[in-house]
Protein backbone atom coordinates (compact mmCIF):
# COMPACT_ATOMS: atom_id res chain seq x y z
CA UNK A 1 0.00 0.00 0.00
CA UNK A 2 2.76 2.47 0.92
CA UNK A 3 4.56 1.75 -2.39
CA UNK A 4 1.40 2.56 -4.32
CA UNK A 5 0.85 5.84 -2.49
CA UNK A 6 4.51 6.79 -2.92
CA UNK A 7 4.28 6.12 -6.67
CA UNK A 8 1.14 8.22 -6.91
CA UNK A 9 2.78 11.12 -5.09
CA UNK A 10 5.66 11.05 -7.57
CA UNK A 11 3.23 11.17 -10.46
CA UNK A 12 2.72 14.73 -11.81
CA UNK A 13 -0.99 14.86 -10.88
CA UNK A 14 -2.30 16.49 -7.72
CA UNK A 15 -4.69 14.70 -5.39
CA UNK A 16 -7.47 17.07 -6.43
CA UNK A 17 -6.83 16.46 -10.12
CA UNK A 18 -6.79 12.72 -9.57
CA UNK A 19 -10.07 12.87 -7.64
CA UNK A 20 -11.69 15.05 -10.31
CA UNK A 21 -10.54 12.70 -13.05
CA UNK A 22 -11.91 9.66 -11.23
CA UNK A 23 -15.23 11.35 -10.44
CA UNK A 24 -15.80 12.63 -13.98
CA UNK A 25 -14.78 9.29 -15.51
CA UNK A 26 -17.15 7.45 -13.15
CA UNK A 27 -20.07 9.59 -14.31
CA UNK A 28 -19.19 9.36 -18.00
CA UNK A 29 -18.76 5.57 -17.88
CA UNK A 30 -22.08 5.04 -16.12
CA UNK A 31 -25.33 4.41 -18.00
CA UNK A 32 -26.32 7.69 -19.68
CA UNK A 33 -29.58 9.17 -18.43
CA UNK A 34 -31.17 12.51 -17.55
CA UNK A 35 -28.88 12.89 -14.56
CA UNK A 36 -25.83 12.86 -16.80
CA UNK A 37 -27.41 15.37 -19.16
CA UNK A 38 -28.08 17.74 -16.25
CA UNK A 39 -24.49 17.42 -15.04
CA UNK A 40 -22.80 18.15 -18.36
CA UNK A 41 -22.06 21.86 -17.65
CA UNK A 42 -20.56 20.97 -14.26
CA UNK A 43 -18.49 18.18 -15.78
CA UNK A 44 -17.20 20.50 -18.50
CA UNK A 45 -16.08 23.02 -15.86
CA UNK A 46 -14.35 20.27 -13.88
CA UNK A 47 -12.58 18.90 -16.95
CA UNK A 48 -11.32 22.38 -17.86
CA UNK A 49 -9.42 22.40 -14.54
CA UNK A 50 -7.46 19.30 -15.46
CA UNK A 51 -4.05 19.17 -17.13
CA UNK A 52 -3.34 17.26 -20.29
CA UNK A 53 -3.75 14.48 -21.20
CA UNK A 54 -6.80 14.06 -18.93
CA UNK A 55 -8.46 17.27 -20.11
CA UNK A 56 -8.39 16.21 -23.75
CA UNK A 57 -9.27 12.59 -23.03
CA UNK A 58 -12.32 13.35 -20.90
CA UNK A 59 -13.24 16.33 -23.07
CA UNK A 60 -13.55 14.02 -26.06
CA UNK A 61 -16.04 11.82 -24.19
CA UNK A 62 -18.00 14.90 -23.15
CA UNK A 63 -18.13 16.01 -26.78
CA UNK A 64 -19.57 12.61 -27.73
CA UNK A 65 -22.21 12.76 -24.99
CA UNK A 66 -23.21 16.35 -25.82
CA UNK A 67 -23.68 15.79 -29.55
CA UNK A 68 -25.43 12.39 -29.37
CA UNK A 69 -29.21 12.09 -28.87
CA UNK A 70 -30.05 10.47 -25.53
CA UNK A 71 -31.65 7.35 -27.01
CA UNK A 72 -28.77 6.74 -29.40
CA UNK A 73 -26.32 7.31 -26.57
CA UNK A 74 -28.06 4.72 -24.39
CA UNK A 75 -28.23 2.16 -27.21
CA UNK A 76 -24.55 2.62 -27.99
CA UNK A 77 -23.65 2.30 -24.29
CA UNK A 78 -25.54 -0.99 -23.93
CA UNK A 79 -23.94 -2.36 -27.09
CA UNK A 80 -20.48 -1.38 -25.88
CA UNK A 81 -20.52 -2.40 -22.23
CA UNK A 82 -23.46 -4.77 -21.65
CA UNK A 83 -23.45 -6.89 -24.79
CA UNK A 84 -19.69 -7.30 -25.23
CA UNK A 85 -17.84 -9.13 -22.51
CA UNK A 86 -14.52 -8.07 -24.00
CA UNK A 87 -15.35 -4.51 -22.93
CA UNK A 88 -17.32 -5.10 -19.75
CA UNK A 89 -16.74 -2.69 -16.85
CA UNK A 90 -16.13 -5.37 -14.21
CA UNK A 91 -12.42 -5.41 -13.48
CA UNK A 92 -12.15 -8.95 -12.09
CA UNK A 93 -13.88 -10.56 -15.05
CA UNK A 94 -10.82 -10.27 -17.29
CA UNK A 95 -8.64 -12.40 -15.00
CA UNK A 96 -11.19 -14.74 -13.46
CA UNK A 97 -14.25 -14.97 -15.70
CA UNK A 98 -17.23 -16.37 -13.79
CA UNK A 99 -15.23 -18.67 -11.52
CA UNK A 100 -14.94 -19.23 -7.78
CA UNK A 101 -11.69 -17.28 -7.79
CA UNK A 102 -13.60 -14.26 -9.00
CA UNK A 103 -15.89 -14.49 -5.99
CA UNK A 104 -12.84 -14.23 -3.73
CA UNK A 105 -11.57 -11.22 -5.68
CA UNK A 106 -14.96 -9.52 -5.34
CA UNK A 107 -14.79 -9.96 -1.59
CA UNK A 108 -11.57 -7.94 -1.63
CA UNK A 109 -13.48 -4.96 -3.01
CA UNK A 110 -16.30 -5.37 -0.52
CA UNK A 111 -13.85 -5.58 2.37
CA UNK A 112 -12.09 -2.38 1.29
CA UNK A 113 -15.43 -0.57 1.03
CA UNK A 114 -16.58 -1.71 4.47
CA UNK A 115 -13.33 -0.66 6.11
CA UNK A 116 -13.90 2.86 4.79
CA UNK A 117 -17.62 2.94 5.57
CA UNK A 118 -18.57 3.01 1.90
CA UNK A 119 -21.96 1.54 1.00
CA UNK A 120 -22.45 1.81 -2.79
CA UNK A 121 -25.99 2.75 -3.76
CA UNK A 122 -26.07 0.48 -6.77
CA UNK A 123 -26.98 -3.02 -7.88
CA UNK A 124 -23.64 -3.39 -9.70
CA UNK A 125 -21.01 -5.82 -8.48
CA UNK A 126 -18.32 -4.18 -6.30
CA UNK A 127 -15.66 -4.45 -9.01
CA UNK A 128 -17.63 -2.30 -11.48
CA UNK A 129 -15.26 0.43 -12.62
CA UNK A 130 -17.73 3.24 -11.88
CA UNK A 131 -18.14 2.01 -8.30
CA UNK A 132 -14.38 1.80 -7.78
CA UNK A 133 -13.84 5.27 -9.24
CA UNK A 134 -16.57 6.79 -7.06
CA UNK A 135 -14.94 5.19 -4.02
CA UNK A 136 -11.51 6.50 -4.99
CA UNK A 137 -12.80 9.99 -5.76
CA UNK A 138 -15.11 10.60 -2.82
CA UNK A 139 -14.31 8.22 0.04
CA UNK A 140 -10.80 6.77 0.28
CA UNK A 141 -8.28 7.79 -2.43
CA UNK A 142 -5.56 5.51 -1.06
CA UNK A 143 -7.68 2.37 -0.90
CA UNK A 144 -9.28 3.21 -4.23
CA UNK A 145 -5.87 3.60 -5.85
CA UNK A 146 -4.82 0.26 -4.41
CA UNK A 147 -7.82 -1.49 -5.99
CA UNK A 148 -7.18 0.15 -9.36
CA UNK A 149 -3.50 -0.78 -9.30
CA UNK A 150 -4.17 -4.34 -8.13
CA UNK A 151 -6.56 -4.81 -11.05
CA UNK A 152 -4.65 -2.67 -13.53
CA UNK A 153 -4.40 -5.52 -16.04
CA UNK A 154 -8.20 -5.64 -16.31
CA UNK A 155 -8.33 -1.87 -16.71
CA UNK A 156 -5.77 -1.98 -19.52
CA UNK A 157 -7.59 -4.82 -21.29
CA UNK A 158 -10.77 -2.75 -21.17
CA UNK A 159 -8.81 0.16 -22.63
CA UNK A 160 -7.44 -1.99 -25.44
CA UNK A 161 -10.90 -3.36 -26.29
CA UNK A 162 -12.40 0.13 -26.47
CA UNK A 163 -9.45 1.37 -28.49
CA UNK A 164 -9.76 -1.50 -30.96
CA UNK A 165 -13.46 -0.71 -31.41
CA UNK A 166 -12.77 2.99 -31.94
CA UNK A 167 -15.07 3.72 -29.00
CA UNK A 168 -15.53 7.34 -27.86
CA UNK A 169 -15.39 5.98 -24.30
CA UNK A 170 -11.71 5.12 -24.73
CA UNK A 171 -10.74 8.57 -23.46
CA UNK A 172 -12.40 8.03 -20.07
CA UNK A 173 -10.35 4.88 -19.39
CA UNK A 174 -7.21 6.55 -20.78
CA UNK A 175 -7.71 9.41 -18.31
CA UNK A 176 -7.99 6.99 -15.38
CA UNK A 177 -4.81 5.20 -16.46
CA UNK A 178 -3.03 8.57 -16.65
CA UNK A 179 -3.62 9.08 -12.92
CA UNK A 180 -1.90 5.79 -12.03
CA UNK A 181 1.79 4.86 -11.93
CA UNK A 182 3.35 4.13 -15.35
CA UNK A 183 2.96 0.62 -16.70
CA UNK A 184 5.85 -1.74 -15.99
CA UNK A 185 7.18 -4.41 -18.29
CA UNK A 186 5.83 -7.08 -15.95
CA UNK A 187 2.34 -5.59 -16.09
CA UNK A 188 2.49 -5.30 -19.87
CA UNK A 189 3.33 -9.01 -20.00
CA UNK A 190 0.35 -9.78 -17.74
CA UNK A 191 -1.97 -7.78 -20.00
CA UNK A 192 -0.66 -9.55 -23.09
CA UNK A 193 -1.10 -12.95 -21.43
CA UNK A 194 -4.69 -12.22 -20.36
CA UNK A 195 -5.50 -10.83 -23.79
CA UNK A 196 -4.18 -14.00 -25.45
CA UNK A 197 -5.78 -16.48 -23.06
CA UNK A 198 -9.07 -14.74 -22.31
CA UNK A 199 -10.97 -15.19 -19.03
CA UNK A 200 -11.66 -18.69 -17.65
CA UNK A 201 -15.07 -20.04 -18.66
CA UNK A 202 -15.98 -22.14 -15.63
CA UNK A 203 -19.60 -21.13 -14.94
CA UNK A 204 -20.34 -20.98 -11.22
CA UNK A 205 -22.43 -18.91 -8.86
CA UNK A 206 -20.87 -15.84 -7.31
CA UNK A 207 -22.61 -15.96 -3.94
CA UNK A 208 -23.09 -13.64 -2.13
CA UNK A 209 -22.94 -11.71 -5.41
CA UNK A 210 -25.33 -12.02 -8.31
CA UNK A 211 -23.52 -12.18 -11.67
CA UNK A 212 -24.30 -9.38 -14.09
CA UNK A 213 -26.34 -10.43 -17.13
CA UNK A 214 -24.46 -8.83 -20.01
CA UNK A 215 -27.03 -9.97 -22.55
CA UNK A 216 -29.96 -8.16 -20.93
CA UNK A 217 -30.43 -4.65 -22.30
CA UNK A 218 -31.13 -1.84 -19.86
CA UNK A 219 -34.47 -0.05 -19.93
Amino acid sequence: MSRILSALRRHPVTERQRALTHRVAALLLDYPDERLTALLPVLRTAVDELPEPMRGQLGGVLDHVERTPTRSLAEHYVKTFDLRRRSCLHLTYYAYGDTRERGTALLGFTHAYRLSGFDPDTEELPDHLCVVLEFAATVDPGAGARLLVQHRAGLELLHLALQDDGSPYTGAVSAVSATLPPLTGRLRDAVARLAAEGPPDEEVGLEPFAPTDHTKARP
Side-chain angles (χ1 to χ4, degrees):
M1 179 67 171
S2 61
R3 291 200 304 272
I4 293 173
L5 292 178
S6 295
L8 289 174
R9 293 189 186 103
R10 292 194 300 270
H11 202 262
V13 178
T14 68
E15 291 184 8
R16 174 176 170 76
Q17 290 168 344
R18 183 175 294 109
L20 276 177
T21 298
H22 290 172
R23 186 61 178 141
V24 173
L27 292 167
L28 291 177
L29 287 168
D30 205 353
Y31 182 77
D33 54 17
E34 295 80 5
R35 177 186 177 219
L36 177 60
T37 301
L39 285 173
L40 288 177
V42 176
L43 296 181
R44 181 67 72 178
T45 299
V47 167
D48 287 343
E49 289 188 35
L50 297 173
E52 294 294 352
M54 290 87 78
R55 183 170 63 245
Q57 291 162 339
L58 292 173
V61 186
L62 276 172
D63 292 342
H64 165 70
V65 173
E66 289 173 342
R67 67 173 176 252
T68 307
T70 303
R71 181 170 180 175
S72 297
L73 193 66
E75 290 174 350
H76 175 73
Y77 182 95
V78 169
K79 181 180 179 181
T80 300
F81 296 115
D82 290 353
L83 302 181
R84 294 177 181 169
R85 290 202 169 195
R86 66 187 298 267
S87 56
C88 78
L89 290 166
H90 295 91
L91 296 179
T92 63
Y93 175 76
Y94 295 93
Y96 303 108
D98 291 327
T99 64
R100 292 178 178 83
E101 286 79 6
R102 186 180 176 202
T104 300
L106 290 170
L107 286 173
F109 286 84
T110 301
H111 181 65
Y113 297 159
R114 286 176 179 168
L115 283 178
S116 298
F118 178 54
D119 184 14
D121 183 20
T122 177
E123 295 181 358
E124 296 288 358
L125 293 174
D127 66 334
H128 192 280
L129 181 55
C130 295
V131 179
V132 184
L133 291 173
E134 180 185 354
F135 175 64
T138 65
V139 180
D140 192 330
R146 180 181 63 186
L147 291 172
L148 289 168
V149 170
Q150 286 177 342
H151 299 276
R152 185 74 179 276
L155 183 70
E156 296 303 323
L157 280 174
L158 169 62
H159 180 263
L160 288 174
L162 294 174
Q163 192 174 55
D164 288 346
D165 290 338
S167 171
Y169 288 104
T170 305
V173 181
S174 298
V176 173
S177 292
T179 68
L180 301 175
L183 291 172
T184 63
R186 182 177 180 181
L187 182 55
R188 292 181 190 278
D189 290 343
V191 171
R193 184 177 66 254
L194 287 177
E197 297 175 354
D201 57 5
E202 173 194 358
E203 296 290 342
V204 299
L206 292 175
E207 290 80 3
F209 307 103
T212 299
D213 183 355
H214 294 276
T215 64
K216 183 178 180 181
R218 300 171 186 260

